[in-house]
Amino acid sequence: MLLASMSVAMCGGQAMAADYPARPVSLVIGFGAGGPTDVIGRYVAQQLGDKLGQAVVVENRPGANGLIALQYVKKAKPDGYTLLLASSGSLAIEPMYRKSIDYNVFKDFTIIAPVAQYPYVMAVNAQSSVKSIPDLVAAGKAAKQPLTFGSAGMGADNHLAGEWFAKRMGVPLLHVPYSGGDAALVNGMLSGGIDMALISGAVALPQVQVGKLRAIGVGTKERVSFLPEVPTVIEATGQADFLIGPWNGIVGPAGMDPAIAGKIETAVQEILKTEKSQKTLLGHGQYPFLGSGQDFSNYIKAQQDHWAEVIKSSELEKLD
């Protein structure tokens, strides 16, 4: 009798997956239109809609480093019609950095598929005397007042990455949080408000090409094709684990039918493996983040552990 019930349940799940989606799907993004997450989210939504045979509609719910969108999806019905393009900040950093966090990534969400990684570019004003990472470290150690670095806000990826760099290299750096994303950080460097920032490749490249900013490092294992002459932070520092850059992936509310989650996972992987996707993402300074839902879950856990250690070693006070 039990086996028969299990068989019926399995068949029911397969039937639901076969019929899914029967109507448009919402892909929620926790950042405003036009940013790197939104741009890639819209591309993936269009491609995913073509794959699934139903429109995938982007719904922007910006605010609180992606937490507003995350809370919205957490409370949604787990039927596969409300998904979230979640960020590294909300999945790996906020749970480690905020005291009052009220969600558990692995219990409150269905981890479906990774999507994209985009390396940070370490940049300075092109008029700066700093021409390399060793120059930055030397200047920081020699300065009477700490050099400044900007970020998208307390707890943002580039905030903790900057703190990690400062601690590891033994150089005093003063954090200056900005609102307005990478564009605000570019303006901060151009106006002299900050000495350095870690920004996305898509934003850094045009400024480097016109001679306004100087790229002194990239946060990848190997040099990137859009800035081939710029060394990696690993090359410049000798720190083999110095990988710096946000990433994102698709999750849904907890309790989704595994067959439906699997259908979305497979579709996303197929999309990201195409030459079109690779070219599209590269055009925005990003790379496909390939892997299964389980791979993604394992990666999130490893990233949580990593940032917890950075927060501890940098002696950062956790946010309320």
Side-chain angles (χ1 to χ4, degrees):
M1 188 69 176
L2 178 60
L3 289 174
S5 298
M6 291 174 62
S7 177
V8 170
M10 290 175 63
C11 290
Q14 291 170 354
M16 288 176 64
D19 293 338
Y20 173 85
R23 53 186 171 83
V25 175
S26 176
L27 180 63
V28 180
I29 295 177
F31 301 91
T37 303
D38 177 73
V39 169
I40 296 308
R42 289 180 184 277
Y43 170 76
V44 171
Q46 180 181 8
Q47 298 298 309
L48 188 58
D50 292 343
K51 277 275 185 187
L52 297 177
Q54 284 282 353
V56 177
V57 181
V58 168
E59 183 178 349
N60 294 94
R61 289 181 174 266
N65 198 24
L67 293 184
I68 290 175
L70 181 135
Q71 292 289 358
Y72 174 77
V73 173
K74 174 187 171 183
K75 298 172 184 176
K77 187 177 180 180
D79 55 8
Y81 289 95
T82 304
L83 305 173
L84 173 69
L85 184 60
S87 68
S88 46
S90 57
L91 294 180
I93 293 179
E94 295 287 351
M96 304 294 106
Y97 194 43
R98 286 190 183 272
K99 298 176 184 177
S100 58
I101 208 74
D102 62 350
Y103 64 90
N104 182 300
V105 172
F106 306 103
K107 293 181 180 179
D108 294 327
F109 297 93
T110 300
I111 312 298
I112 298 174
V115 171
Q117 295 175 306
Y118 41 111
Y120 274 139
V121 173
M122 187 176 287
V124 297
N125 189 310
Q127 304 306 312
S128 168
S129 60
V130 171
K131 293 180 169 55
S132 66
I133 289 179
D135 282 354
L136 178 70
V137 173
K141 290 181 177 180
K144 294 182 179 179
Q145 298 294 328
L147 297 184
T148 54
F149 78 96
S151 83
M154 298 293 291
D157 295 67
N158 47 3
H159 168 213
L160 294 195
E163 298 283 5
W164 183 29
F165 176 84
K167 184 70 174 181
R168 185 68 68 85
M169 302 310 298
V171 55
L173 292 177
L174 177 64
H175 174 228
V176 181
Y178 278 70
S179 59
D182 284 355
L185 296 177
V186 169
N187 290 335
M189 284 184 282
L190 295 181
S191 68
I194 50 175
D195 296 303
M196 180 273 285
L198 292 155
I199 57 177
S200 65
V203 173
L205 183 58
Q207 301 297 328
V208 171
Q209 290 174 330
V210 298
K212 292 184 176 181
L213 292 183
R214 176 182 297 126
I216 59 174
V218 290
T220 50
K221 286 184 179 179
E222 300 176 352
R223 295 192 182 196
V224 295
S225 58
F226 53 86
L227 287 170
E229 74 286 357
V230 179
T232 66
V233 181
I234 292 174
E235 283 182 76
T237 65
Q239 304 287 332
D241 59 345
F242 233 122
L243 301 174
I244 308 172
W247 42 267
N248 54 43
I250 295 176
V251 305
M256 281 180 60
D257 184 332
I260 291 177
K263 187 172 185 177
I264 300 167
E265 174 193 322
T266 298
V268 170
Q269 289 188 74
E270 290 175 353
I271 290 165
L272 295 177
K273 288 177 181 177
T274 66
E275 184 177 351
K276 178 182 179 181
S277 291
Q278 292 168 10
K279 288 183 177 179
T280 299
L281 267 66
L282 185 58
H284 295 286
Q286 303 190 34
Y287 293 89
F289 188 177
L290 301 175
S292 66
Q294 186 59 57
D295 292 334
F296 190 32
S297 182
N298 294 342
Y299 184 79
I300 293 169
K301 180 61 171 66
Q303 284 283 288
Q304 287 186 352
D305 292 344
H306 165 69
W307 289 120
E309 178 55 33
V310 168
I311 291 163
K312 181 180 178 180
S313 64
S314 299
E315 300 178 339
L316 297 175
E317 184 176 347
K318 289 188 177 183
L319 302 178
D320 291 332

